[in-house]
Amino acid sequence: MRTTLLAATLVAAMPINALQSMAWQGVARAQTAPAPKVSQQISDGVVRLGFLLDMSGPYADVTGPGSAAAARMAVEDFGGTVLGAPVEVVVADHQNKPDIAATTARAWFDTGGVDAILDVAASATALAAADIARAKNKVIVFNGPGAVRLTNEACSPVSVHWAYDTYALANSTAQATVKAGGDSWFFVTADYAFGQDLERDASAVVKAQGGTVRGSVRVPLNTADFSSFLLQAQGSGAKVVGLANAGADTTNAIKQAAEFGLTQGGQKLAGLLVYISDVHSLGLKATQGMLLTEGFYWDLDDETRAWSKRYFERVGKMPNMSQAGVYSTVMHYLKAVRKAGTDETGPVMQAMRDTPVDDFYARGGRIREDGRMVHDMYLFEVKKPEESKGPWDLYRLVATVPGDKAFQPLSASRCPLVKK
């Protein structure tokens, strides 16, 4: 019987001073039996897991409450305790501001008793939090952000990049699109670390395949009106308009591209980070035929379907790769704490690296020296409306891309931890 069930979440539209003083408070634990004796190797008698998410902004639908729910599911499924210590989840809204992400991470580590941060939504905020984790020697894992620099220039001994990255997305989607005849590109790019990395990586793949890049335009985060940017894309005459953005920015761009008649005019959209929730929201009529890459799909096999059904019952929608990745991350971290016999960073990181990731999310996954968790990626084509058998039956599997082919090879790594 589970001795401890987690019930605590901090969310936020609250000022940063409130986050600093309250982010670790109000965490309630409902106990159904006397707590067992806690191992002396658990620093303060509690294992606290932090999640810095976008709870109300452009990435709230693809991370946010859904990622927090996945974290709680994992803690409950693990049994609520590890080494006799209760496990708590603490959640804060960083509002997509790197300074808030950094300040909250510092406060959590310094006085909040947070042992590890197991997701930071968006790349700019992730890079800011990663600097704090490195300085404080605390574990930090990323599922929501995609910037490949997290395992290159910004790699560290305490960080792991779990779900996907810009290299894997660009490598799989751009290759398939160019091979299908889309050999000239124009990029509509989110103007921050993630978008810039995604454009760079996709451009390199397009050129390596013999294609050309006719230009790009940088778009501020959370832009509502894409008209001027899409007009530039139309004017370029490129066969493919690559959307190097995510979340609400991607769905807004796709909707407005349809209104502008961009695809009707012969150009093809390539969503370089498209989540299942985006496709579901936009509908198959608007997205049919689009090629996209994901690290997880709820309908891959019996295990993914079983877990996703439980998630759906709790959240009311199917999980995406980042949300499923959070569950996988929490389970792997707690197993590492149990194996190491402590929540001390060094032994836990070693146990995480030594233990293969083998669950419904990743079969035979492994954490490399640059912090990249290598696992298979999947190239999908969005189904036509008449092919779908239900509201979330959205993808047709085109190819499984082995992890060692999907992610950047270590020979090309810019991470100083990689020995060459």
Side-chain angles (χ1 to χ4, degrees), residues 97 117 194 232 234 323 376:
K97 296 178 180 178
I117 293 176
F194 161 76
Q232 292 182 59
Q234 278 185 317
Q323 292 159 344
D376 292 349

Side-chain angles (χ1 to χ4, degrees), residues 184-246:
S184 60
W185 287 59
F186 183 95
F187 290 94
V188 176
T189 302
D191 193 14
Y192 69 105
F194 161 76
Q196 295 160 16
D197 283 1
L198 192 50
E199 178 189 328
R200 181 197 63 204
D201 293 339
S203 295
V205 173
V206 169
K207 293 173 182 177
Q209 295 293 313
T212 60
V213 175
R214 296 192 178 183
S216 66
V217 60
R218 299 288 172 85
V219 184
L221 178 66
N222 212 14
T223 291
D225 184 4
F226 279 78
S227 57
S228 63
F229 310 115
L230 292 171
L231 283 171
Q232 292 182 59
Q234 278 185 317
S236 72
K239 294 179 182 178
V240 180
V241 177
L243 301 178
N245 51 20

Side-chain angles (χ1 to χ4, degrees), residues 19 54 58 100 108 184 238 291 316:
L19 275 174
D54 179 355
I100 292 180
W108 277 357
S184 60
L291 289 173

